[in-house]
Amino acid sequence: MRTCLLALLWASLSHCVDAMFLTGRTGVETGREEMIGDGAREGKLLRRFKRGWMWNQFFLQEEYTGSDKQYIGKLQSDMDKGDGTLKYILTGDGAGDIFTIDESNGDLHANKRLDREEKAFYTLRATVVNRNTGKKLEPETEFIVKLHDINDNEPKFAKEVYTASVPESSVIGTSVTQVTATDADDSMYGNSAKLRYSISQGHPYFSVDPDTGVIRTALGPGEMDREKREHYQVVIEAKDMAGQRGGLTGTTAVNITLTDVNDNAPGFSQNMYQFSVPESIKAGHPVGRIKAVDKDIGKNAEMSYSVVSGDGLDIFDVNTDRNTQEGVITVLKPLDYEKTMSYTLEIQVQNVQALHTHSQGTLPTIATVRIDVEDVDEPPLFERASYLMEVKEDAALGAVVGSVRAMDPDRTNSPVRYSIDRRTDLDRHFNVHSGNGSIFITRPLDREEADWHNISVIATEFNKPLQASRVPVYIRLLDVNDNAPMFASFYETFVCEKTKAGQKIQMVSAVDADDPVGGHKFFFSLDTEGVYRGNFTVRDNGDNTASILTRRSSYNPLHKSVYLVPVVITDGDFPMQSSTGTLTVRVCTCDREGNMELCNAEAQTSSAGLSTGALVAILLCVIILLMIVVLFAALKRQKKKEPLIISKEDVRDNVVSYNDEGGGEEDTQAFDIGALRNPEAMEESKQRRDIIPSDTLYPPLRRTAIPSQDNADVREFINQRVVDNDSNPTAPPYDSLATYAYEGAGSVAESLSSLGSASSEGDQDYNYLSDWGPRFRKLADMYGAEDSDRDS
Ligand SMILES: *[C@@H]1O[C@H](CO)[C@@H](O)[C@H](O)[C@H]1NC(C)=O
Ligand SMILES: *[C@@H]1O[C@H](CO)[C@@H](O)[C@H](O)[C@H]1NC(C)=O
Ligand SMILES: *[C@@H]1O[C@H](CO)[C@@H](O)[C@H](O)[C@H]1NC(C)=O
Ligand SMILES: *[C@@H]1O[C@H](CO)[C@@H](O)[C@H](O)[C@H]1NC(C)=O
């Protein structure tokens, strides 16, 4: 039912199906009547009614500033007969507060000033009741109070200051940025929210699109030059009412920066640069710096320099210092004032980045650089970097080894003096002629001592000793055969008593300090002067070794125990050198395999012979050991125990210490070792040494003799000693322990003492050796034979 009513209201047509009928007097009069459906209201008379309520939405001016309440409109019901029985009631948004209704006649008023931008419309409901009965005469109906917009809001920009940038030299109309403003007024109604943009500051460089707010450049590339002006502040105004007079405005500032493009070519502010360098400058060192100017910044100002022409084209180079963008001229090759005194270069500068199409360059890109070489007083210069000389080691004193030569490179060409750096020739083997640079030998040379003499020759200018330079001179000594060959080591061997003739007993080789070109070649032979030449032979093996061979089948050590075989060694060089080496051959007895078994005593001592040095060392050791022993003995004697009780009278007054630490096994003073030695000595019989023994306290213990056949003579011995002691008038006044060490008699092993066995070696009879088996046969032979020799 209600929805039906609403639909009627909104459609401005009244189709009431209710039993009631209302006459809308405020709204549009409707004369249509309608039959409503049957069945719905049973028992009621169905008739056509005139329409009741009828009103459209009400409109209200926002921001009303009048003094009294603003009249909105009038609600009227057809039931209202004007007799005051009806009462209008208003509910909904702001009812009673913002909006009030005259209860009696339905006049609607607004009490307050309203803002559309705050709330654009209010929904209210109205009804009519009987004032007396309170009965609802009409159904509640809803209506809307809409606020009419007025232009009470100015346009607002999102930011107070915008920042933007655009490359310099951009074409006209290049978009820089867009600014937009908003207007709170009703955009659907009137022009209150229709904005137009205009530029109020920033002419003539920039323009703004009136509708979109897009800012564009307004001047051509020539005018928009960062190098002239970089920063612009543009003020944009937005005006509502489509920009008409009376519209409200809002402004914003736009900070526009022109960004750099490479529109300036670098160039030199000077046409000519001049530098001077000493001729001594090292290759790679800088000569000077030049700098071109470029109005651009950053990457657009990076420059590269190059030498394009000039007579110093291949002698100098130019590179860019990346930090300062300067061109650094460096020298590539050594300079010589005496040859070229000055150079000219043409140096070009360019940007590393490509230039912009609208670029301009007013300065020349090529500059001339003149480099003057300054004369430097240089030290003498040797003809060569080093000298290699060779000389025979036996060259005579004063012989010339070679010559060095140096010149003063300066114009003056002053004479040069030569000298040898003595630190490189400490032994003064050489000297140099100070005038012509010839090197002489001043001391005999020996290749075997030093085969190289690497010296340093100094050349100084005659008048300026500080102008000096030096050159290494390598002098190699050439070998001369001035050393005789010798045995490679000391050779010593043996020969068996019974051997074969032609048996090889030793291999010998030789050494020679000389260093012949083709290697060593040694020859060996037996010295023909030798006394025993018939007993051995020398066989030259042809490979710088020789074998010593026996010549006899038996050598008797009794006739000759050591043979000294002289061997002559010769080298094959010129002048021929030779020496005689001696081989020591001992005669020994050998077993069947030829292994040495025993050598003659003379030979043995000689082989086991100690050097005098070793003997002295051993002697010293012995002396030191002896001294240590003596020292120990002396110390022991000093440490002898003091008696614990000095005299009888002091007993009570003295503090007696008992914590006496024994001296170990070796301390024979601490306890009586005799008690241990005697098998019969009893513990109880041990005397306390710290107190005076008394008869009452310590009755002397009688040893009970254990009868034993084996100990018979011991018992006898002890008894004898007891009697002796008892009858001894010099015995101490108190009981003391008497100990009797006794060694039994009848040991099978006789005394080991050497004193008794005085028989000398010479008196020995070695014949029993032959009974001891084949191992001792040789000994028996030797000693037994000697006896028989002597006998015979
Ligand atoms: C805009 O430019 C003005 C004047 O050049 C300056 O004072 C202001 O700080 C700039 N504002 C911004 C946000 O860059
Ligand atoms: C230099 O002078 C010395 C002595 O007068 C002479 O023996 C030698 O040959 C000279 N050397 C040269 C290269 O002339
Ligand atoms: C001397 O120089 C030579 C050649 O350079 C070198 O072989 C030799 O070892 C050097 N001798 C000394 C002692 O410096
Ligand atoms: C061999 O040596 C003995 C000495 O044992 C000597 O008497 C003898 O002359 C030597 N033989 C020859 C041939 O020289």
Side-chain angles (χ1 to χ4, degrees):
M1 189 168 69
R2 213 175 99 184
T3 49
C4 170
L5 183 63
L6 267 172
L8 286 173
L9 283 168
W10 282 107
S12 302
L13 289 164
S14 177
H15 297 278
C16 190
V17 291
D18 211 350
M20 293 175 268
F21 43 86
L22 291 155
T23 309
R25 275 198 287 180
T26 54
V28 180
E29 291 278 345
T30 60
R32 287 179 61 194
E33 293 170 347
E34 206 181 300
M35 294 296 291
I36 57 159
D38 48 6
R41 297 280 186 268
E42 221 175 296
K44 280 201 175 174
L45 182 66
L46 296 175
R47 328 173 13 188
R48 287 179 66 187
F49 292 104
K50 273 199 157 180
R51 245 211 69 180
W53 297 93
M54 176 56 218
W55 55 78
N56 209 333
Q57 53 199 357
F58 294 100
F59 286 96
L60 185 61
Q61 188 83 25
E62 67 161 332
E63 305 287 355
Y64 176 73
T65 50
S67 53
D68 48 354
K69 293 180 183 175
Q70 197 181 359
Y71 176 72
I72 301 169
K74 193 178 183 73
L75 305 180
Q76 190 158 24
S77 170
D78 282 351
M79 310 288 278
D80 192 355
K81 302 287 184 301
D83 52 5
T85 53
L86 292 186
K87 184 179 168 188
Y88 291 90
I89 294 172
L90 188 68
T91 53
D93 290 343
D97 171 27
I98 302 169
F99 302 103
T100 51
I101 195 162
D102 192 320
E103 281 185 5
S104 51
N105 60 17
D107 282 346
L108 196 60
H109 284 93
N111 300 336
K112 284 187 180 165
R113 180 175 157 175
L114 298 174
D115 185 3
R116 190 198 67 85
E117 283 73 40
E118 215 171 85
K119 193 166 169 67
F121 62 87
Y122 297 82
T123 309
L124 295 165
R125 285 177 299 280
T127 189
V128 182
V129 296
N130 187 306
R131 190 182 287 272
N132 301 320
T133 61
K135 187 169 166 252
K136 212 182 239 187
L137 298 178
E138 296 227 26
E140 197 177 62
T141 187
E142 204 175 66
F143 63 96
I144 286 169
V145 176
K146 261 192 158 180
L147 290 176
H148 259 311
D149 183 49
I150 61 162
N151 187 19
D152 58 344
N153 286 283
E154 75 275 359
K156 280 212 168 64
F157 284 96
K159 285 197 246 172
E160 256 173 45
V161 181
Y162 289 83
T163 53
S165 62
V166 65
E168 62 169 329
S169 304
S170 297
V171 291
I172 293 182
T174 304
S175 166
V176 178
T177 188
Q178 184 177 21
V179 293
T180 42
T182 51
D183 194 312
D185 288 326
D186 191 353
S187 55
M188 308 298 286
Y189 173 75
N191 286 332
S192 301
K194 193 158 171 56
L195 305 181
R196 307 277 295 171
Y197 298 96
S198 62
I199 188 160
S200 63
Q201 186 187 316
H203 281 301
Y205 304 100
F206 299 97
S207 65
V208 68
D209 186 297
D211 295 319
T212 59
V214 172
I215 299 170
R216 297 176 191 280
T217 57
L219 286 181
E223 261 88 8
M224 301 295 274
D225 188 2
R226 189 201 64 83
E227 283 72 39
K228 284 194 195 121
R229 185 175 166 189
E230 194 173 355
H231 299 287
Y232 295 85
Q233 191 165 41
V234 173
V235 177
I236 303 292
E237 193 179 83
K239 194 170 188 179
D240 60 13
M241 303 303 287
Q244 298 298 307
R245 227 165 4 132
L248 300 173
T249 59
T251 57
T252 188
V254 187
N255 283 4
I256 298 174
T257 308
L258 296 189
T259 53
D260 189 49
V261 300
N262 192 13
D263 56 350
N264 287 282
F268 291 104
S269 52
Q270 259 171 277
N271 281 324
M272 178 87 184
Y273 294 85
Q274 191 154 7
F275 300 104
S276 55
V277 284
E279 59 174 327
S280 57
I281 190 167
K282 297 255 162 48
H285 278 235
V287 171
R289 289 167 168 254
I290 53 174
K291 171 129 202 221
V293 287
D294 189 327
K295 289 189 201 150
D296 293 321
I297 52 167
K299 275 200 147 353
N300 296 326
E302 285 181 4
M303 293 180 253
S304 81
Y305 300 85
S306 55
V307 182
V308 286
S309 64
D311 56 1
L313 192 61
D314 52 349
I315 293 170
F316 296 96
D317 193 17
V318 64
N319 292 297
T320 307
D321 182 331
R322 287 278 149 241
N323 298 320
T324 62
Q325 300 302 329
E326 289 171 318
V328 184
I329 300 168
T330 51
V331 59
L332 295 177
K333 293 178 180 169
L335 304 179
D336 190 356
Y337 170 81
E338 284 73 31
K339 278 193 197 132
T340 315
M341 289 164 68
S342 89
Y343 296 92
T344 8
L345 303 172
E346 300 285 318
I347 291 183
Q348 186 179 38
V349 66
Q350 281 174 313
N351 267 144
V352 175
Q353 305 285 323
L355 277 174
H356 190 256
T357 43
H358 291 284
S359 66
Q360 49 199 9
T362 48
L363 294 170
T365 59
I366 290 187
T368 306
V369 178
R370 194 188 138 122
I371 297 164
D372 291 325
V373 181
E374 292 167 354
D375 189 20
V376 171
D377 192 1
E378 291 155 300
L381 199 63
F382 279 97
E383 275 175 342
R384 284 196 249 160
S386 70
Y387 291 84
L388 175 66
M389 297 173 185
E390 289 184 340
V391 65
K392 286 198 165 194
E393 58 176 320
D394 64 350
L397 292 188
V400 175
V401 178
S403 282
V404 297
R405 221 167 101 82
M407 297 269 285
D408 180 15
D410 295 321
R411 288 265 150 99
T412 50
N413 195 6
S414 28
V416 172
R417 292 168 58 102
Y418 303 94
S419 59
I420 287 178
D421 183 349
R422 282 299 162 203
R423 284 167 299 172
T424 62
D425 183 25
L426 292 171
D427 293 335
R428 294 180 171 266
H429 280 115
F430 302 98
N431 206 352
V432 66
H433 190 283
S434 69
N436 65 17
S438 286
I439 295 169
F440 302 93
I441 301 170
T442 51
R443 278 190 56 186
L445 302 170
D446 185 7
R447 191 202 65 85
E448 283 71 39
E449 203 176 279
D451 53 350
W452 282 93
H453 289 275
N454 298 345
I455 61 171
S456 196
V457 175
I458 302 169
T460 49
E461 279 181 33
F462 201 78
N463 302 320
K464 292 181 204 140
L466 288 179
Q467 290 293 346
S469 57
R470 52 180 55 226
V471 72
V473 177
Y474 305 108
I475 300 171
R476 176 163 50 201
L477 300 191
L478 300 177
D479 186 46
V480 167
N481 190 23
D482 54 356
N483 285 280
M486 292 184 304
F487 270 153
S489 64
F490 172 73
Y491 291 112
E492 189 186 33
T493 187
F494 69 93
V495 63
C496 293
E497 248 181 68
K498 291 181 179 62
T499 179
K500 281 179 278 177
Q503 183 84 34
K504 185 172 114 187
I505 54 165
Q506 181 67 37
M507 179 92 129
V508 293
S509 62
V511 288
D512 190 331
D514 289 321
D515 186 17
V517 186
H520 289 293
K521 183 82 194 89
F522 300 123
F523 302 99
F524 300 88
S525 61
L526 198 63
D527 188 357
T528 47
E529 309 283 298
V531 188
Y532 312 115
R533 63 183 181 278
N535 292 307
F536 298 96
T537 50
V538 171
R539 192 178 69 203
D540 195 326
N541 295 329
D543 58 351
N544 291 346
T545 62
S547 306
I548 311 298
L549 310 173
T550 54
R551 208 168 172 186
R552 297 196 323 192
S553 55
S554 77
Y555 293 85
N556 190 344
L558 298 174
H559 293 141
K560 186 76 192 157
S561 60
V562 177
Y563 290 89
L564 298 173
V565 183
V567 178
V568 178
I569 315 156
T570 325
D571 61 19
D573 293 312
F574 180 82
M576 199 179 79
Q577 301 273 354
S578 71
S579 73
T580 303
T582 305
L583 169 73
T584 310
V585 181
R586 287 186 281 125
V587 180
C588 301
T589 48
C590 303
D591 61 8
R592 273 170 206 102
E593 283 83 44
N595 296 320
M596 187 207 331
E597 261 189 347
L598 192 79
C599 288
N600 167 287
E602 185 191 344
Q604 236 164 7
T605 47
S606 77
S607 73
L610 289 164
S611 68
T612 46
L615 281 174
V616 166
I618 289 169
L619 214 75
L620 263 173
C621 283
V622 168
I623 287 169
I624 288 168
L625 269 172
L626 268 174
M627 275 167 71
I628 289 170
V629 167
V630 167
L631 218 80
F632 252 90
L635 276 173
K636 278 253 178 69
R637 201 155 302 154
Q638 269 194 342
K639 273 207 277 179
K640 206 159 233 167
K641 254 193 194 13
E642 285 182 10
L644 287 164
I645 297 161
I646 290 143
S647 80
K648 212 175 173 180
E649 285 74 37
D650 291 340
V651 167
R652 259 160 302 170
D653 299 321
N654 281 328
V655 177
V656 178
S657 73
Y658 294 90
N659 57 344
D660 180 35
E661 194 183 21
E665 246 178 71
E666 280 161 16
D667 190 359
T668 51
Q669 303 293 324
F671 64 96
D672 193 350
I673 196 85
L676 291 182
R677 248 185 252 141
N678 191 328
E680 300 286 340
M682 302 291 284
E683 265 312 299
E684 300 94 304
S685 67
K686 205 163 189 178
Q687 294 284 314
R688 285 187 61 174
R689 301 196 303 158
D690 50 344
I691 55 160
I692 300 165
S694 91
D695 278 335
T696 51
L697 278 171
Y698 300 100
L701 284 163
R702 285 274 163 254
R703 226 173 276 140
T704 46
I706 305 144
S708 155
Q709 283 304 319
D710 296 344
N711 292 341
D713 59 338
V714 178
R715 198 159 55 234
E716 218 168 86
F717 170 79
I718 288 169
N719 285 339
Q720 181 61 43
R721 294 307 297 262
V722 169
V723 172
D724 284 357
N725 268 308
D726 285 347
S727 57
N728 186 2
T730 59
Y734 47 83
D735 276 2
S736 62
L737 180 70
T739 56
Y740 316 112
Y742 176 77
E743 190 184 35
S747 171
V748 213
E750 282 171 15
S751 172
L752 293 172
S753 168
S754 57
L755 295 171
S757 51
S759 61
S760 77
E761 213 179 298
D763 301 336
Q764 284 290 331
D765 178 13
Y766 294 109
N767 282 331
Y768 57 80
L769 283 174
S770 43
D771 304 334
W772 285 6
R775 280 273 159 208
F776 296 88
R777 185 175 50 82
K778 258 295 136 189
L779 275 175
D781 275 8
M782 283 168 69
Y783 290 87
E786 236 172 57
D787 281 347
S788 55
D789 278 2
R790 200 174 35 210
D791 291 344
S792 65

